[in-house]
Amino acid sequence: MTDALRRFDLAIIIPAIALVSAGILILSTTGDPGQTGLDHKAVQQGVFVAIGLAAALVMAFLDYRLLNAVALPAFIGGTILVAAVVVFGDANLGAQRWFVVGPIVIQPSEIMKLAAIVFLARYLARRGEGVRSIRTLLLSLLIMLVPAALVFIQPDLGSALVFVAIWLAMVFVAGARWWHALIPAGMALAAFPFAWFFAQDYMRERFVAFLDPSSDPLGAGYNVLQARISIGSGGWWGQGIGQGTQSQLEFLRVRDTDFIFAVLGEQLGFVGALGVILFFTILLAQAVIISIRARDDFGRYLAIGIAGMLFFQSFVNIGMNVGLMPVTGITLPLLSFGRNSLVVTLAAIGILLSINAHRTAAPHRQQGVWWVSSVRRMAARPESPPRP
Amino acid sequence: MAVNGDQTGQTAPGAPGTKSDGGASANRKLRRGLILGGAVLAANSALAGRLWQLQVVETETYQEQAARNRLRTEPVRPVRGIVFDRNREPLVRNLPEFGVWVTPADVPKSREGSIIASLAALTGERPDDLRFKLSQARYDPGRPVQVAGDVQRDSALAIEERRHDLPGVQVRSGIRRQYLHGDAFGHMLGFVGPVPAESLEEYQALGVGFDETVGLAGLERQFQGALRGTDGSRKVEIDALGRELNEIESEAPVEGRHLVLTVSVREQRAIREILARHLALRDAGAGVAVVIRPEDGSVVALASLPDYDNNAFGAGGDPSVLTRLVTDPRRPLINHAVAGLYPPGSSYKVIAASAALETGIVLPQTKIRCDGQLVLPTGWAFNDWLPTGHGMVDLHRGISESCNIYFYNISGGNPYTNLTGFGNRRLVEFERAFGFGEASGIDLPGEAAGLVPTAEWKQGNLGQPWVTGDTYHAAIGQGLVQVTPLQIAMMYSAIGNGGRLLRPRLVDRIVDTQGNVLQRLPVSERGQLPVSEGHLRLLRNALLEAVNGRNGTGKYARSEFAVVAGKTGTAEYSGTRDSHGKLPSHAWFAGYAPAENPEYAFAVLVRDGGEGAFAAAPIARDIIDYLMTGEMPPLPQDRPDFIPPTRRLS
């Protein structure tokens, strides 16, 4: 009974429900007036929220440790799918990112994110302290670079970066040495000129536009500028639901996905936009707490991987909307219109609930507030060899 | 640290293969987890801070920018004014047409090339022209500009249909000028066209858009400002594709002013027709007829042939017509009435006559001997047109029979008698006082000033000293003298009205759309002829005699319907001599009618027409006949006294 209750960790569930609801609310104002019924994106989003919630429930009630068993097949299968989409997928907007199977659209890179987290969590948990060796670290990096490279050539720079971000979060918590972090950083620096050379034109344009959005206000810089205007014109309380000239008169583009936060900022203002950030912060903080309190390293790394994924995507997307980050095509988890990503994200949240539910009796039950005890434990400096 | 140990221990079962090194590893994981949590908090705080900056601190800036996105202020072009004749009959009409407009701010740079290519294909404009206009427009990118006018209805519809492919492009209705009396008023009205690239800045200083059509010639040019009116403006709400949603506010433009001219359609057309009939009898005939009202200087008719149909300059004009106009050696595009420069010939003699009388060089009755030739001691011979000579000639006969020798004597003097002549310096004063050497000030662009030759001018421009022969030539309107037909007409108008030299008036008044008179162009006097009343009477009698006397040179100008006074002119110019050894000459006739109380003053010029008496005088007669009766005279060749153009005064 207590397990069942613990699964319903409100610090996870309330923000998640609030964020998907906000997404549906905003999507209800951005569609074409001609769209009705299932054609309407808000309705479609609702359907996928329902599917995602079902997936989350299943995940929450399963023991996350069962994922150990599927980690390798899921990773290999996912990699094959991602590779296949590069070769066979439907071209859309110059990129091949998904399959269409009847009415179902499958975007392997979304599924792959979760599969990679599970596999890497398993790998790191098995290696234990081995992550402190350079060999293990590089092998773990290789695990993530395989899917990252495959999505990069789709081309989907944003998703590729998500894999790298997830890896960083997970090896960091697993205990990789600080100075080892210099190795991938140095590699990235060395790779930059080559990346620039091989990058798609749109990537370069976006990078330049990020540095100076007014360089071509109607070209690459257009969306960035319009997003900033949308958010800025929202003011304290916003223009109101379904109001706001930036989104309603379509000066702002890609309102359903990349720039949904800007629409929200225009319609709901500072209060609404800050609310979104707050809910993400609560959700992420709780994910980190779940990681810290996890029963085992596999759960710990799984939770931190999910947190890293959610954090990186939400931060980069909102950062792009407010002009702090370049345009990378990363959508806002839980809010942006998306079929696969929504289901995968909600499933990942279900996994968080499962990790939370299967933790052992937490120390705070005996010692009061958990983080007080945690800080106390750190203060005790257990690294020093125990005195005889 | 039992708790740590417990926790690490508890981790082990769930993670197969986990190697525990005790509390150190667990604490590191805890610490790093907390660091990550802290990073999340810090990063999201940064986002929140940025939100505060955008939505609270700088919100007004962005609200303004959003409004600028949403609202577009665009000029409302006034409708160009109409030009009416004296009887308020319109000479030009504004026809509706489709124009293609582009708002540069809504054209993505990356698609500019393809949009220009599509527009060029749909409108028939040259891509380079479109590119130029668009590049100009980018200085004020929010403002829509017209890039093509007079677009076919089908093309306009096609552009509307392809709107999604053509962001920033709009089809709007505009106007096109249609001139109702093409040829007859071509020179007078001129035409409109796109702003010439070289005077772009000039026009922009006047608030004229580079995409507008402006007056480029004639009254359209001279009264560009009044005809154009003043822009209004409208503020509209638009969507991201530039589609107009609704109008927020608007200010109506001040519509273009209308001009009411002093000419009438009927008279202008008839007088042009009379001139054309006479010119039609010769090869490549070219000529000018100017008719003025002496009382106030109003223009009655102003014809310069060959002329052109100014509709040819509008959109859809035939390019071959334009080529012909540009290459015709008679230069039809120039209004020769105001911009053509010719030696005036004997019609100029009244100036020398006035100078002689006013300076007292001769008395009216002083007789001078004409042997048909005056040979100077230097050996230069100066001929009269009548080789046998006129005998003893006084002022009256000098003018009426147009004796050259008489005018040589009074102007440059005669080395064989003690007559000294008044000299060129004096002559120049009189020429200027009669209105020569400066533009008369008609309401048309491009009027020529002409040339009153002086010793300084000749030395400066030709590098030669002034000689007596130059004075002789100037006195009879030959040699270096250059005048416009309009200047001659204004001089005879002044003689006819008692000595008042007036500014010619072509525009009577400027009115607004309701017909209220905004400005009446004044009758203005440029000066008074420096001739006493008695002497003026002498001149007028001589001019009367020149037409009506037995030996008058202008007898072919006699009209049944009014007494005509006037003077012929045959102005030789350097060219190939004909079979009789004569130089080619322009034929003039200038005067006024009725002689006693003139209603009309006129100047007629037939370029390369030969004798003024035969080529120009009959035209003047037909014009006076018409003006007096209101009916077209018979064709010149149907008259019993018809003189074929080949005949010469022997």
Side-chain angles (χ1 to χ4, degrees):
Chain A
M1 187 62 211
T2 47
D3 268 11
L5 277 180
R6 272 198 246 153
R7 280 186 189 103
F8 291 96
D9 184 343
L10 292 180
I12 294 287
I13 289 167
I14 290 175
I17 297 291
L19 290 170
V20 292
S21 307
I24 293 172
L25 179 68
I26 296 304
L27 285 174
S28 72
T29 70
T30 59
D32 282 336
Q35 294 172 336
T36 53
L38 264 181
D39 283 340
H40 199 291
K41 291 210 161 155
V43 177
Q44 289 184 24
Q45 182 85 340
V47 169
F48 282 97
V49 164
I51 296 172
L53 286 178
L57 271 179
V58 171
M59 287 299 176
F61 279 100
L62 281 178
D63 188 331
Y64 69 93
R65 285 169 291 191
L66 293 174
L67 292 172
N68 260 311
V70 297
L72 185 62
F75 184 77
I76 292 171
T79 305
I80 291 170
L81 273 179
V82 174
V85 84
V86 174
V87 185
F88 305 114
D90 277 9
N92 186 301
L93 299 170
Q96 297 190 334
R97 292 179 186 170
W98 47 73
F99 291 119
V100 178
V101 184
I104 302 166
V105 177
I106 295 172
Q107 195 174 354
S109 61
E110 293 296 334
I111 300 166
M112 189 62 201
K113 284 175 193 165
L114 195 51
I117 291 171
V118 173
F119 185 67
L120 188 63
R122 179 170 182 268
Y123 176 77
L124 290 175
R126 278 167 162 269
R127 300 302 299 178
E129 286 299 291
V131 74
R132 295 181 75 73
S133 77
I134 189 88
R135 184 171 156 275
T136 303
L137 188 73
L138 288 179
L139 272 172
S140 69
L141 178 60
L142 192 66
I143 288 171
M144 284 315 237
L145 281 184
V146 169
L150 283 173
V151 297
F152 180 77
I153 59 174
Q154 284 181 356
D156 183 355
L157 173 66
S159 294
L161 289 175
V162 173
F163 286 102
V164 177
I166 291 169
W167 173 78
L168 262 178
M170 288 174 76
V171 296
F172 178 69
V173 170
R177 289 182 196 277
W178 281 105
W179 64 268
H180 283 167
L182 294 177
I183 295 165
M187 279 164 61
L189 265 183
F192 184 79
F194 297 98
W196 184 258
F197 182 75
F198 286 110
Q200 302 287 322
D201 280 345
Y202 86 95
M203 296 179 185
R204 275 179 248 173
E205 270 175 31
R206 282 173 174 181
F207 190 75
V208 172
F210 164 67
L211 297 178
D212 179 15
S214 55
S215 64
D216 181 7
L218 291 172
Y222 178 88
N223 288 333
V224 179
L225 195 63
Q226 296 302 333
R228 206 182 297 174
I229 293 172
S230 303
I231 293 170
S233 64
W236 268 105
W237 300 101
Q239 312 272 345
I241 292 290
Q243 304 294 311
T245 53
Q246 283 292 106
S247 52
Q248 295 306 304
L249 299 180
E250 308 189 1
F251 291 104
L252 185 65
R253 311 266 161 84
V254 232
R255 295 174 297 279
D256 292 342
T257 51
D258 293 17
F259 291 102
I260 194 168
F261 184 79
V263 179
L264 186 137
E266 185 184 29
Q267 299 194 351
L268 299 179
F270 180 66
V271 173
L274 189 66
V276 168
I277 292 176
L278 271 179
F279 279 127
F280 268 114
T281 310
I282 294 170
L283 182 61
L284 291 168
Q286 187 63 14
V288 170
I289 291 167
I290 288 173
S291 164
I292 290 171
R293 294 194 303 189
R295 165 190 284 267
D296 54 20
D297 280 350
F298 177 62
R300 186 181 332 280
Y301 303 153
L302 203 50
I304 212 70
I306 291 166
M309 173 179 79
L310 289 177
F311 169 64
F312 184 74
Q313 295 193 38
S314 61
F315 179 74
V316 171
N317 177 274
I318 295 175
M320 163 185 93
N321 273 269
V322 297
L324 289 180
M325 286 275 151
V327 177
T328 44
I330 290 177
T331 58
L332 188 56
L334 301 173
L335 280 97
S336 284
F337 178 74
R339 306 168 181 94
N340 292 258
S341 70
L342 192 57
V343 174
V344 169
T345 307
L346 285 171
I349 285 171
I351 293 172
L352 283 180
L353 293 176
S354 173
I355 298 167
N356 189 45
H358 291 91
R359 72 171 194 259
T360 49
H364 73 266
R365 301 254 176 221
Q366 297 122 36
Q367 299 184 4
V369 183
W370 71 271
W371 60 267
V372 175
S373 62
S374 301
V375 172
R376 225 179 257 151
R377 269 184 287 131
M378 269 192 291
R381 303 180 63 82
E383 293 95 319
S384 50
R387 289 170 201 283
Chain B
M1 290 288 116
V3 176
N4 293 331
D6 285 353
Q7 201 186 26
T8 325
Q10 283 152 6
T11 315
T18 299
K19 290 175 208 156
S20 171
D21 69 341
S25 164
N27 271 332
R28 186 170 58 238
K29 283 167 188 161
L30 172 64
R31 196 170 61 235
R32 290 193 170 183
L34 288 174
I35 288 171
L36 269 193
V40 168
L41 282 177
N44 283 3
S45 302
L47 292 181
R50 175 70 168 170
L51 273 186
W52 171 267
Q53 183 194 5
L54 292 181
Q55 297 194 293
V56 178
V57 180
E58 296 173 358
T59 182
E60 276 178 27
T61 318
Y62 291 109
Q63 277 168 1
E64 253 169 51
Q65 286 186 29
R68 225 179 300 147
N69 262 344
R70 173 178 77 93
L71 300 175
R72 184 162 65 200
T73 304
E74 47 185 48
V76 181
R77 292 277 160 77
V79 176
R80 197 171 175 86
I82 299 295
V83 182
F84 295 98
D85 83 341
R86 188 170 71 222
N87 306 315
R88 298 230 46 171
E89 189 181 331
L91 303 177
V92 58
R93 194 154 60 181
N94 291 323
L95 286 186
E97 64 163 14
F98 290 111
V100 177
W101 291 65
V102 173
T103 309
D106 299 336
V107 179
K109 254 188 199 152
S110 55
R111 295 181 60 186
E112 191 179 303
S114 67
I115 288 171
I116 283 175
S118 305
L119 282 183
L122 286 167
T123 63
E125 295 282 316
R126 289 184 21 225
D128 282 350
D129 291 349
L130 294 173
R131 202 165 296 123
F132 172 76
K133 286 179 185 169
L134 208 53
S135 66
Q136 283 295 319
R138 287 220 183 261
Y139 292 113
D140 186 5
R143 199 178 130 155
V145 296
Q146 185 169 5
V147 297
D150 199 28
V151 176
Q152 295 296 313
R153 196 184 148 73
D154 289 348
S155 304
L157 289 175
I159 290 169
E160 276 293 304
E161 276 168 12
R162 295 187 49 192
R163 190 156 195 169
H164 257 273
D165 300 336
L166 300 169
V169 177
Q170 278 179 297
V171 173
R172 295 190 185 180
S173 53
I175 57 147
R176 178 164 68 84
R177 293 293 250 189
Q178 187 195 27
Y179 301 101
L180 301 171
H181 303 283
D183 297 333
F185 286 89
H187 279 133
M188 215 183 280
L189 293 180
F191 49 86
V192 294
V195 177
E198 65 273 12
S199 34
L200 196 60
E201 285 176 17
E202 228 172 282
Y203 278 105
Q204 279 173 340
L206 298 170
V208 175
F210 66 90
D211 56 324
E212 276 186 64
T213 53
V214 295
L216 296 178
L219 291 168
E220 294 274 28
R221 176 170 174 182
Q222 187 80 3
F223 290 88
Q224 162 66 23
L227 287 169
R228 181 186 182 275
T230 311
D231 282 346
S233 69
R234 56 199 294 268
K235 200 184 248 186
V236 290
E237 187 176 33
I238 53 164
D239 69 6
L241 290 174
R243 285 178 299 209
E244 186 179 321
L245 300 176
N246 50 56
E247 189 175 285
I248 308 287
E249 60 185 52
S250 71
E251 185 193 335
V254 178
E255 301 296 356
R257 310 303 195 189
H258 302 327
L259 305 181
V260 180
L261 304 186
T262 58
V263 296
S264 75
V265 169
R266 232 173 67 91
E267 289 168 352
Q268 168 73 13
R269 286 179 71 99
I271 287 164
R272 173 187 180 273
E273 176 62 21
I274 289 167
L275 180 65
R277 284 178 180 180
H278 285 268
L279 296 178
L281 300 171
R282 359 182 122 249
D283 290 337
V288 171
V290 180
V291 182
I292 301 289
R293 283 190 178 275
E295 59 185 35
D296 60 358
S298 298
V299 175
V300 175
L302 200 66
S304 170
L305 288 176
D307 50 18
Y308 63 89
D309 180 351
N310 43 0
N311 289 308
F313 290 88
D318 182 354
S320 71
V321 173
L322 294 183
T323 312
R324 211 167 340 125
L325 287 174
V326 171
T327 54
D328 189 326
R330 295 173 296 172
R331 298 191 296 164
L333 289 176
I334 290 175
N335 184 356
H336 291 265
V338 301
L341 287 173
Y342 305 93
S346 302
S347 60
Y348 211 53
K349 282 175 178 165
V350 286
I351 301 174
S354 305
L357 289 173
E358 296 303 319
T359 54
I361 291 291
V362 289
L363 293 172
Q365 59 274 26
T366 308
K367 285 192 159 59
I368 290 169
R369 184 178 180 80
C370 168
D371 293 328
Q373 198 177 44
L374 176 60
V375 183
L376 288 180
T378 52
W380 290 97
F382 296 87
N383 296 325
D384 191 51
W385 61 271
L386 192 62
T388 54
H390 287 94
M392 297 306 286
V393 178
D394 62 5
L395 181 95
H396 191 79
R397 275 189 69 210
I399 293 173
S400 64
E401 297 180 25
S402 202
C403 173
N404 288 352
I405 304 295
Y406 179 85
F407 288 94
Y408 296 157
N409 276 276
I410 59 171
S411 62
N414 186 334
Y416 309 110
T417 66
N418 52 8
L419 191 65
T420 52
F422 49 76
N424 192 59
R425 215 168 275 283
R426 256 304 155 67
L427 181 61
V428 167
E429 282 171 26
F430 274 79
E431 286 172 282
R432 296 220 165 111
F434 276 70
F436 295 93
E438 71 172 24
S440 67
I442 193 173
D443 313 309
L444 285 175
E447 193 191 359
L451 176 64
V452 171
T454 62
E456 292 75 25
W457 185 90
K458 192 183 176 194
Q459 187 68 48
N461 289 274
L462 303 179
Q464 290 165 359
W466 190 265
V467 295
T468 307
D470 292 321
T471 310
Y472 287 177
H473 278 148
I476 64 163
Q478 300 259 29
L480 302 170
V481 183
Q482 298 268 288
V483 305
T484 67
L486 179 64
Q487 285 173 327
I488 294 291
M490 295 319 292
M491 171 171 73
Y492 279 89
S493 161
I495 295 170
N497 70 18
R500 289 183 301 134
L501 185 66
L502 299 174
R503 186 188 72 83
R505 299 171 72 238
L506 181 54
V507 176
D508 180 68
R509 55 192 189 272
I510 299 174
V511 300
D512 65 15
T513 38
Q514 282 80 43
N516 302 315
V517 177
L518 299 171
Q519 189 191 348
R520 196 173 281 281
L521 280 91
V523 175
S524 68
E525 203 172 299
R526 296 172 61 204
Q528 191 77 25
L529 298 186
V531 184
S532 71
E533 214 174 300
H535 291 156
L536 194 62
R537 205 175 309 122
L538 282 174
L539 289 181
R540 292 177 58 153
N541 279 335
L543 292 172
L544 186 66
E545 183 77 3
V547 175
N548 301 290
R550 199 169 57 84
N551 293 320
T553 53
K555 63 184 175 193
Y556 290 102
R558 281 180 208 162
S559 165
E560 293 171 53
F561 307 101
V563 181
V564 176
K567 182 76 197 77
T568 55
T570 303
E572 291 180 340
Y573 60 97
S574 49
T576 341
R577 289 175 187 272
D578 67 4
S579 51
H580 304 280
K582 285 207 159 208
L583 282 169
S585 59
H586 299 306
W588 287 90
F589 191 82
Y592 48 84
E596 269 317 297
N597 193 13
E599 289 174 38
Y600 303 102
F602 52 82
V604 175
L605 165 70
V606 180
R607 289 155 68 188
D608 193 24
E611 305 288 341
F614 301 145
I619 300 175
R621 175 208 51 213
D622 283 358
I623 289 172
I624 294 301
D625 281 0
Y626 167 76
L627 288 172
M628 288 297 153
T629 61
E631 282 168 28
M632 280 300 274
L635 289 176
Q637 54 269 44
D638 294 347
R639 295 239 190 198
D641 58 351
F642 172 63
I643 311 141
T646 46
R647 178 161 159 198
R648 294 252 164 197
L649 206 60
S650 53

